[in-house]
Amino acid sequence: MSYTPPAPATRAAMLERVKFNADGLITAIAQQHDSGEVLMLAWMNAEALDETLRTGRVCYFSRSRNGLWRKGETSGQVQTLVDARLDCDRDAVLLLVDQKGVACHTGRRSCFYNALRPEGIVEITQPEVAAETLYGKG
Amino acid sequence: MSYTPPAPATRAAMLERVKFNADGLITAIAQQHDSGEVLMLAWMNAEALDETLRTGRVCYFSRSRNGLWRKGETSGQVQTLVDARLDCDRDAVLLLVDQKGVACHTGRRSCFYNALRPEGIVEITQPEVAAETLYGKG
């Protein structure tokens, strides 16, 4: 599948329909488009969503850094958009992506690696890449 | 797959590790365990997460009703838990579930049916059940 960006007027009309919260954000789920693996959950403001739809490269809003977070800008682990889908309330978006490498800053493919099991919290995957390698300190 | 609840002390230790936000909530993604379909996004407080882990039946926190929302209590469209996984920040949880019927209050299997396409917002699925049937008015 390849992504075709909507025209500027279409994107503007879409953004009008999105229900951003009091902080101007919506939740965004990234899912690997072919395997179905849920990779991560993050946030988007209108600018991040518009840039994502325009470029086909996923851009979030970092609440800790209070700015746009172009996924993979530092680590190289970019997410290419395949399809974006708003939910029934239009306050959450599911991003079907093609994840290059790993999604998680810990070096794991998915951020959801802490399983809540009878024996306690179990890490069900291990890092595939060292965080130092991802963030240029290695 | 069948779910085994952690013992009370184990659940209490898990809940200590979860990072609830200023409103006492975490985001929860429900995914059909076998097909990988992302069904919905909702919220949980500590009580909802604890009940879900204890009973194996998914319970959210409804922000609009300000109370526990036992999924399917009215509609019969229950979610049976298969596995629960916290993310790296421990402020979001991925619920692998077995969804009975449909997850969305519109009668669709998934809430994420509004695709953002070049031609605009496109509803890619149609309701399988009438909302009136789900909520007892039919």
Side-chain angles (χ1 to χ4, degrees), chain A residues 2-15 49-57 81-85, chain B residues 114-122:
Chain A
S2 82
Y3 172 76
T4 305
T10 309
R11 287 203 316 278
M14 285 171 176
L15 285 163
L49 179 56
D50 189 54
E51 176 171 316
T52 299
L53 293 173
R54 178 171 57 77
T55 64
R57 188 72 69 85
L81 187 64
V82 174
D83 202 16
R85 299 174 188 170
Chain B
N114 296 298
L116 305 180
R117 298 279 170 84
E119 60 270 38
I121 298 180
V122 178

Side-chain angles (χ1 to χ4, degrees), chain B residues 76-122:
Chain B
Q77 314 292 293
V78 296
Q79 293 179 343
T80 304
L81 187 64
V82 174
D83 203 15
R85 299 176 188 168
L86 287 176
D87 74 349
C88 51
D89 296 329
R90 305 197 304 278
D91 63 358
V93 65
L94 175 65
L95 306 167
L96 298 177
V97 303
D98 192 24
Q99 171 71 58
K100 180 176 175 185
V102 299
C104 185
H105 75 288
T106 66
R108 292 169 174 88
R109 178 76 180 164
S110 165
C111 295
F112 293 95
Y113 59 83
N114 296 298
L116 305 180
R117 298 279 170 84
E119 60 270 38
I121 298 180
V122 178

Side-chain angles (χ1 to χ4, degrees), chain B:
Chain B
M1 288 175 85
S2 82
Y3 172 75
T4 306
T10 309
R11 287 205 315 276
M14 285 170 174
L15 285 164
E16 286 290 319
R17 301 282 306 279
V18 177
K19 288 190 190 160
F20 296 97
N21 70 12
D23 296 323
L25 302 174
I26 57 168
T27 45
I29 303 163
Q31 181 180 32
Q32 175 65 28
H33 73 103
D34 46 7
S35 69
E37 186 177 22
V38 173
L39 300 168
M40 57 183 286
L41 184 140
W43 296 82
M44 285 181 155
N45 64 0
E47 191 180 354
L49 179 55
D50 189 55
E51 177 171 316
T52 298
L53 294 173
R54 177 170 57 77
T55 65
R57 187 72 69 87
V58 178
C59 173
Y60 297 106
F61 181 83
S62 167
R63 294 179 299 170
S64 58
R65 290 190 284 110
N66 198 40
L68 293 182
W69 164 27
R70 295 181 177 92
K71 177 71 181 165
E73 194 171 35
T74 309
S75 67
Q77 314 292 293
V78 296
Q79 293 179 343
T80 304
L81 187 64
V82 174
D83 203 15
R85 299 176 188 168
L86 287 176
D87 74 349
C88 51
D89 296 329
R90 305 197 304 278
D91 63 358
V93 65
L94 175 65
L95 306 167
L96 298 177
V97 303
D98 192 24
Q99 171 71 58
K100 180 176 175 185
V102 299
C104 185
H105 75 288
T106 66
R108 292 169 174 88
R109 178 76 180 164
S110 165
C111 295
F112 293 95
Y113 59 83
N114 296 298
L116 305 180
R117 298 279 170 84
E119 60 270 38
I121 298 180
V122 178
E123 296 191 356
I124 56 172
T125 59
Q126 294 306 313
E128 299 175 17
V129 190
E132 294 75 14
T133 308
L134 287 177
Y135 298 102
K137 295 166 199 156

